[in-house]
């Protein structure tokens, strides 16, 4: 496993509470070895004082979604390396939760499976027909991963964290929405097909924006691989590109399931640095 950490880089527009020390991890997608190595490296830098936030999309597409869920549950219970840990929900977790909890799970289950959830079902030894039966997914998750993982998936997540003027969220925020409006309501009832109005799905209205986000925020997010975003903007980065602040946002999706890289960041007053954990 290879761990790289950039030099410290300035964020002149950053405003954090006194002594704030934040660690953030982007999309993991079942890449357990990279996830564990990254949290170990961050814990060494944190020395028990930093706050860890997981930006969601722990599951789907990669080889060990169950292992990633267990590792996250361990961190949420308490790690000597961090003062605390926060789990934000990604669109992949929302699809899984909707498949577990919908009264008629056929449509949510189909959406999840078409986005990598079928790989998770195989980890559980399930096919779609078996998983569609009411209550089966919950029971199988409990059997394979434990009660603490099931509770974490159903109730242990947040939609976002706001630390000073840093907004931590899975996908982003619409530049014309207030923070209160954007995160209001029950995310489990929001239409994932209306991605421009969903905090866990939004892409282009958020990514096109170059100024401060609502509330004067810098947004730290995942959801769309940063190499894809930069290519879309005509910058054509290399596959192992380590992201940097792009206007008022920092994207931490390393495209883990295809590149083998999980990305994270350490943020303190006035500066940040990027971590990369990779098998190659």
């Amino acid at each position: 496993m290879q761990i790289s950490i950039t030099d410290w880089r300035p964020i002149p527009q950053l405003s954090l509470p006194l002594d704030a020390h934040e660690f953030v991890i982007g999309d993991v997608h079942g890449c357990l070895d990279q996830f564990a190595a990254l949290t170990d490296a961050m814990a060494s830098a944190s020395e028990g004082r930093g706050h860890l936030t997981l930006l969601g999309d722990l599951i789907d597409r990669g080889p060990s979604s169950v292992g990633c869920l267990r590792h996250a549950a361990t961190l949420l219970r308490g790690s000597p390396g961090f003062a605390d840990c926060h789990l934000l929900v990604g669109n992949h977790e929302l699809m899984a939760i909707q498949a577990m909890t919908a009264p008629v799970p056929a449509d949510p289950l189909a959406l999840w499976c078409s986005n990598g959830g079928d790989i998770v079902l195989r980890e559980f030894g399930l096919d779609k027909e078996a998983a569609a039966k009411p209550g089966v997914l919950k029971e199988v998750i409990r059997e394979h991963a434990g009660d603490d993982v099931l509770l974490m998936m159903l109730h242990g997540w947040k939609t976002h964290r706001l630390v000073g003027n840093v907004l931590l969220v899975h996908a982003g925020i619409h530049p014309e929405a207030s923070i209160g409006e954007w995160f209001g309501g029950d995310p489990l009832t929001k239409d994932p097909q209306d991605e421009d109005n969903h905090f866990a799905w939004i892409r282009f209205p958020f990514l096109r924006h170059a100024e401060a986000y609502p509330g004067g925020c810098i947004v730290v997010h995942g959801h769309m691989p940063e190499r894809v975003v930069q290519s879309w903007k005509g910058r054509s980065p290399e596959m192992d590109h380590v992201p940097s602040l792009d206007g008022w946002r920092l994207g931490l999706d390393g495209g883990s399931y295809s590149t083998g890289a999980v990305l994270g960041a350490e943020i303190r007053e006035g500066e940040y640095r990027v971590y990369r954990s990779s098998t190659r």
Side-chain angles (χ1 to χ4, degrees):
M1 191 63 57
Q2 298 179 6
I3 298 286
S4 63
I5 307 172
T6 67
D7 294 334
W8 288 102
R9 301 167 174 177
I11 314 182
Q13 63 268 52
L14 186 66
S15 177
L16 290 177
L18 186 65
D19 297 328
H21 195 178
E22 299 295 323
F23 293 83
V24 189
I25 294 177
D27 300 41
V28 175
H29 284 301
C31 295
L32 175 60
D33 292 343
Q34 297 93 316
F35 182 26
L38 194 56
T39 56
D40 286 348
M42 289 180 164
S44 294
S46 170
E47 297 180 335
R49 296 188 295 270
H51 306 274
L52 176 64
T53 301
L54 309 176
L55 292 177
D57 280 9
L58 299 175
I59 63 171
D60 298 348
R61 295 178 173 158
S64 187
S65 291
V66 174
C68 290
L69 290 169
R70 286 177 178 151
H71 187 54
T74 298
L75 293 167
L76 287 173
R77 285 197 301 269
S79 165
F82 302 100
D84 54 26
C85 176
H86 306 268
L87 174 63
L88 306 188
V89 68
N91 60 311
H92 285 262
E93 283 84 19
L94 283 176
M95 287 186 284
I97 296 164
Q98 287 167 328
M100 278 192 285
T101 60
V104 182
D107 287 343
L109 182 62
L111 178 63
W112 183 37
C113 287
S114 69
N115 283 276
D118 57 328
I119 297 173
V120 182
L121 293 187
R122 287 201 291 271
E123 277 195 70
F124 292 140
L126 287 176
D127 58 24
K128 292 181 187 178
E129 183 177 355
K133 296 176 182 177
V136 166
L137 265 176
K138 285 184 183 179
E139 187 56 36
V140 169
I141 291 171
R142 179 183 286 112
E143 289 176 1
H144 281 74
D147 286 327
D148 55 343
V149 167
L150 180 61
L151 287 171
M152 177 186 73
M153 287 191 72
L154 293 174
H155 307 294
W157 47 266
K158 305 174 182 179
T159 58
H160 68 290
R161 280 189 74 217
L162 185 61
V163 184
N165 74 331
V166 176
L167 176 62
L168 305 169
V169 60
H170 176 65
I173 184 171
H174 199 291
E176 297 178 2
S178 71
I179 291 176
E181 291 170 340
W182 188 245
F183 295 106
D186 181 358
L188 293 174
T189 64
K190 293 186 176 182
D191 181 3
Q193 305 302 321
D194 184 18
E195 67 174 35
D196 286 358
N197 293 299
H198 200 303
F199 70 89
W201 285 91
I202 191 169
R203 290 182 173 89
F204 298 111
F206 166 68
L207 295 168
R208 288 191 191 104
H209 191 68
E211 305 299 325
Y213 290 96
C217 284
I218 300 163
V219 181
V220 180
H221 67 97
H223 185 53
M224 189 166 179
E226 191 61 17
R227 61 190 172 86
V228 176
V229 177
Q230 294 305 318
S231 179
W232 170 64
K233 292 186 174 186
R235 297 171 187 162
S236 300
E238 297 298 325
M239 288 289 287
D240 63 351
H241 175 72
V242 175
S244 57
L245 194 69
D246 184 9
W248 287 70
R249 64 167 198 92
L250 177 63
L252 294 176
D253 183 349
S256 52
Y257 64 91
S258 61
T259 65
V262 176
L263 301 179
E266 180 180 357
I267 305 169
R268 62 190 188 189
E269 185 57 51
E271 58 186 3
Y272 75 103
R273 58 182 181 176
V274 175
Y275 289 62
R276 183 178 187 272
S277 174
S278 178
T279 55
R280 54 182 184 266

